[in-house]
Amino acid sequence: MDTEKIRDLFKTVDSSAIVEVVAIVLVAWLIVFLSQRLLPRLANLFHSKKRLYTLALIPLIRLIVVVIALVMIVPIFIEPTLQNMVAALGALGLAIGFAIKDYVSSLIAGIVAIHEMPYRPGDWVTIDGIYGEVAHIGLRTVELVTPDDTVVAMPHEKIWQNAVLNANNGGPSLMCVAEFFLTPESNGLLVKEALEQVAFTSPYLQIHKPVVVTVNEETWGTRYRLKAYPVDPRQQFKFITDLSLRSKQRLLDLEVQFAKVETAKSH
Amino acid sequence: MGTAVDDTLWQWIELTDYETPSVPTTMLAQRWWQKTLQTLKPNRVDVSSSSSTESEPVQAEFEFAYDPLLGALDTLLDTQRQNDVRITWLVLPPNSPAWNAVDEWTKRNSWQQLTVPQRDQLLTSQPVDEVHLPSEPWIMTDLSRGFIRHPLGMRWLQSFLKTTLHAADAPGLVVCGSWLYYYLEKTHGGLNRQAFTLRPFDTDHLVTSQLAVSRAHAKRLLAVSEGNPGVAAAYRNAFPVSADETEIVLEIPRVPTVHGEISTFVLYALLLHGGLSTFLLTEVLKSVAPNLIEHCLNLLRSHGIVSYQDDCWKVTELGYPAAKQFLAQRDFNWTPC
């Protein structure tokens, strides 16, 4: 009886229907494939906001294409009545519940990620303790490229339970911090001014954004944090290196004493 | 040949009122298309070709007549005096004819020129002398001469900014490059100075001043110069056209993208300082290898973007629009003025 009901859900599929489905899948695959190949290349010709917006189009285009393809394919196999759809979805839910729960969880999280945008291609994020640039948002995983050029495939389902720390949140502004540990006797105002001068004279500096020096007294000495923004988020490591090296040189010129710290944890 | 005839052409306006003149849509579309071609084919050497460049020059070199501009400057300073404003700031874009006009004005007037330490001296750890404003009228002809974008190179400028913040005894005139002014405004929490700049030339001004030989020519000059008469004059002289010519193509040099990041740093540094020596450029760009800077400079020179003379690298008049566009595309701290 149940078998008969399930059989009744489906239309009789002839060869022309199969050709139609294959054609839809091929066209959809081609559009997705081309968008994934061409848009990153195009994006890399741009800079700043234009680059990020172009990259953000890739998962959006794929989602739209997949939805359209499904809308076109399903009626070829199933008579789209309410009764049939409820029955088909019920059967699908059962299969998902037992067999491919995790996979579908990641797929759904992928759709949620496209809608809520906790990360977009070009963003610098920390997920599950891993920091990197979002290189690609796939159906099931998001690919991060770490500063050491390692590609990490992270299932989208991580967003259900893990915090996603997004450093630039779809824009070109990404704060960089260079830390300095000095003895408590150092002249704080002089150090602050010197660090600001170093940031103002860095070629990587985005001058539209503020330069801030924060100071914290610790048991071992004084912690100085120089905070500034680079023009392009991809320059962050070069920027921090430039700030660190030139600040250190300047502080040595000013005969400022560096503190000896065993371990330092930023906050 | 002095050709500027209309006294009202030259007007000093407040910097806050400055607006880049609107470029005709067709010109914008043309420029966008050229930019797209450059982006998609970064290795292209020729952006466009011009038949007019190969033809015989049909007009004499254009030179500005500075008297009306000097008159406008005198009027501005009189107004400032009446309003009891002691220090007047002039913000000038690179290649503006106002730079030469200010030099001429300084020769004709007996205002004392402020002495600025040599740029090389600014980089030594020796203390920099405090700035003292004279009790008689004074002029600072180019503020960038007292500045190097280096932790040690900003001390004199900071002293100058601090001193001029307070009321001066005598009238003073400070001339500052637009790139430096914009940089200082952003990095020093707003300069809060009432600054003036030259009103940009629109199509009508280009025709009236005889910089353009026709309205079609004026539209094209406006598209490349964005209202900077100095740049417009450079393009007029480089690509002479006759009044009846309809096919006018102005070839803009292209910034090579080979050293994208370094080119950005180099061009910005040159515009900010109004030109730099090779040594100072390597000091300003400490994080870039000197041989890469030199290679980049030579590449930019081969494309006509920068020139080298008397141990000073500068962005050329013809290369300025391309350099500005290159920096704007990268959101790189550019200034509209």
Side-chain angles (χ1 to χ4, degrees):
Chain A
M1 178 80 176
D2 284 346
T3 317
E4 271 176 28
K5 273 188 181 174
I6 291 170
R7 198 181 296 145
D8 290 346
L9 285 175
F10 296 98
K11 288 179 177 177
T12 312
V13 178
D14 54 14
S15 57
S16 69
I18 289 175
V19 170
E20 198 179 341
V21 170
V22 170
I24 291 169
V25 170
L26 272 178
V27 170
W29 175 82
L30 192 68
I31 294 171
V32 171
F33 177 80
L34 287 177
S35 71
Q36 287 182 350
R37 291 289 160 137
L38 297 179
L39 285 177
R41 286 187 187 186
L42 185 67
N44 284 331
L45 296 174
F46 298 137
H47 303 271
S48 199
K49 281 181 193 168
K50 269 188 195 169
R51 174 177 174 268
L52 295 172
Y53 292 159
T54 310
L55 285 173
L57 286 175
I58 300 167
L60 193 69
I61 288 174
R62 193 185 49 234
L63 180 67
I64 291 169
V65 169
V66 169
V67 168
I68 291 173
L70 282 176
V71 166
M72 291 170 80
I73 289 171
V74 168
I76 296 173
F77 292 110
I78 300 171
E79 194 63 52
T81 63
L82 181 66
Q83 195 185 4
N84 285 352
M85 293 312 288
V86 169
L89 288 174
L92 194 68
L94 204 66
I96 288 168
F98 282 105
I100 49 171
K101 177 172 70 68
D102 291 342
Y103 189 85
V104 173
S105 172
S106 280
L107 288 184
I108 293 170
I111 294 167
V112 172
I114 292 168
H115 171 66
E116 290 187 354
M117 295 194 287
Y119 40 72
R120 280 149 284 199
D123 280 359
W124 285 84
V125 296
T126 306
I127 307 173
D128 217 9
I130 295 172
Y131 183 64
E133 185 181 19
V134 176
H136 174 68
I137 297 180
L139 275 177
R140 192 185 67 80
T141 58
V142 52
E143 279 179 20
L144 303 184
V145 179
T146 69
D148 297 330
D149 205 23
T150 303
V151 178
V152 180
M154 192 80 74
H156 289 301
E157 65 172 339
K158 292 273 181 194
I159 65 169
W160 297 138
Q161 283 165 355
N162 291 67
V164 178
L165 284 71
N166 195 325
N168 59 318
N169 200 23
S173 301
L174 186 147
M175 182 188 272
C176 293
V177 183
E179 290 190 307
F180 305 93
F181 310 106
L182 308 179
T183 57
E185 295 82 21
S186 52
N187 182 339
L189 289 176
L190 189 72
V191 171
K192 183 175 176 286
E193 195 186 338
L195 293 179
E196 282 173 350
Q197 295 300 324
V198 170
F200 287 146
T201 54
S202 173
Y204 298 99
L205 180 76
Q206 171 57 271
I207 62 171
H208 300 282
K209 290 284 180 180
V211 170
V212 179
V213 176
T214 61
V215 183
N216 277 89
E217 285 301 328
E218 309 279 358
T219 50
W220 42 261
T222 312
R223 180 206 304 268
Y224 290 81
R225 305 185 85 209
L226 174 56
K227 302 177 181 185
Y229 295 81
V231 173
D232 190 318
R234 288 173 292 177
Q235 295 169 336
Q236 60 184 293
F237 303 108
K238 289 182 188 172
F239 184 42
I240 293 172
T241 306
D242 180 55
L243 292 179
S244 302
L245 292 179
R246 290 190 310 113
S247 295
K248 200 170 174 183
Q249 184 59 54
R250 184 75 188 114
L251 294 174
L252 286 170
D253 291 346
L254 291 170
E255 297 178 350
V256 173
Q257 297 290 314
F258 286 83
K260 302 283 187 293
V261 187
E262 289 295 320
T263 53
K265 192 178 176 187
S266 57
H267 57 270
Chain B
M1 183 179 88
T3 46
V5 287
D6 188 351
D7 285 2
T8 60
L9 274 174
W10 305 104
Q11 281 187 12
W12 293 96
I13 55 168
E14 282 200 36
L15 188 63
T16 47
D17 295 335
Y18 182 91
E19 274 180 31
T20 309
S22 56
V23 178
T25 319
T26 47
M27 294 290 108
L28 282 177
Q30 222 171 54
R31 203 165 61 176
W32 175 83
W33 177 241
Q34 284 196 352
K35 213 162 73 178
T36 309
L37 283 180
Q38 282 179 28
T39 308
L40 294 174
K41 294 184 179 178
N43 293 326
R44 272 165 63 98
V45 173
D46 296 315
V47 172
S48 56
S49 60
S50 164
S51 57
S52 61
T53 54
E54 289 155 11
S55 60
E56 288 295 308
V58 288
Q59 62 195 32
E61 289 266 303
F62 183 89
E63 282 175 25
F64 289 99
Y66 292 112
D67 280 340
L69 182 46
L70 296 176
L73 183 55
D74 283 330
T75 310
L76 170 72
L77 291 174
D78 283 344
T79 314
Q80 291 288 86
R81 200 176 303 130
Q82 283 162 18
N83 294 336
D84 203 25
V85 177
R86 291 292 169 90
I87 301 176
T88 304
W89 282 66
L90 300 183
V91 177
L92 307 180
N95 309 309
S96 167
W99 287 105
N100 288 337
V102 167
D103 286 343
E104 187 60 34
W105 188 91
T106 312
K107 281 179 204 159
R108 293 187 191 181
N109 293 272
S110 55
W111 287 32
Q112 187 183 329
Q113 283 200 55
L114 285 191
T115 49
V116 183
Q118 291 288 310
R119 276 177 162 172
D120 292 4
Q121 287 173 1
L122 287 171
L123 296 182
T124 63
S125 52
Q126 301 296 320
V128 174
D129 293 338
E130 288 287 312
V131 176
H132 295 290
L133 298 178
S135 53
E136 55 194 76
W138 55 271
I139 180 167
M140 172 78 238
T141 49
D142 184 359
L143 192 59
S144 71
R145 297 287 137 213
F147 159 81
I148 290 285
R149 198 185 185 194
H150 183 280
L152 292 173
M154 297 171 75
R155 292 170 296 167
W156 185 88
L157 183 73
Q158 280 175 329
S159 169
F160 177 81
L161 291 176
K162 205 168 132 187
T163 310
T164 53
L165 199 61
H166 308 295
D169 294 335
L173 183 62
V174 183
V175 186
C176 180
S178 57
W179 290 78
L180 176 60
Y181 187 86
Y182 191 69
Y183 170 79
L184 292 175
E185 206 175 44
K186 295 291 172 189
T187 56
H188 287 70
L191 286 174
N192 289 325
R193 315 291 162 117
Q194 191 192 22
F196 294 86
T197 189
L198 268 184
R199 185 183 62 180
F201 274 30
D202 59 17
T203 316
D204 291 335
H205 295 134
L206 288 167
V207 174
T208 316
S209 64
Q210 296 173 20
L211 262 168
V213 293
S214 62
R215 284 200 76 78
H217 189 209
K219 283 179 185 173
R220 274 152 185 82
L221 285 179
L222 181 64
V224 289
S225 68
E226 292 188 330
N228 184 331
V231 175
Y235 272 89
R236 178 198 198 266
N237 292 337
F239 303 99
V241 293
S242 59
D244 53 357
E245 214 162 328
T246 50
E247 279 293 311
I248 303 165
V249 180
L250 306 177
E251 239 179 284
I252 304 176
R254 182 182 60 83
V255 178
T257 51
V258 182
H259 295 297
E261 187 177 273
I262 302 170
S263 299
T264 317
F265 293 163
V266 165
L267 289 173
Y268 184 69
L270 294 182
L271 290 170
L272 189 67
H273 295 88
L276 281 173
S277 67
T278 313
F279 167 72
L280 288 175
L281 199 53
T282 54
E283 285 297 313
V284 168
L285 303 176
K286 269 281 184 198
S287 51
V288 184
N291 62 324
L292 280 179
I293 294 176
E294 214 156 314
H295 187 251
C296 178
L297 282 168
N298 287 322
L299 197 64
L300 289 170
R301 181 161 65 167
S302 69
H303 281 70
I305 304 293
V306 301
S307 63
Y308 183 66
Q309 204 175 7
D310 302 329
D311 193 29
C312 184
W313 292 95
K314 274 188 171 182
V315 175
T316 61
E317 290 164 321
L318 295 178
Y320 180 59
K324 195 175 166 187
Q325 201 177 71
F326 186 75
L327 294 173
Q329 276 177 344
R330 284 155 176 77
D331 276 352
F332 202 90
N333 307 333
W334 70 289
T335 162
C337 178

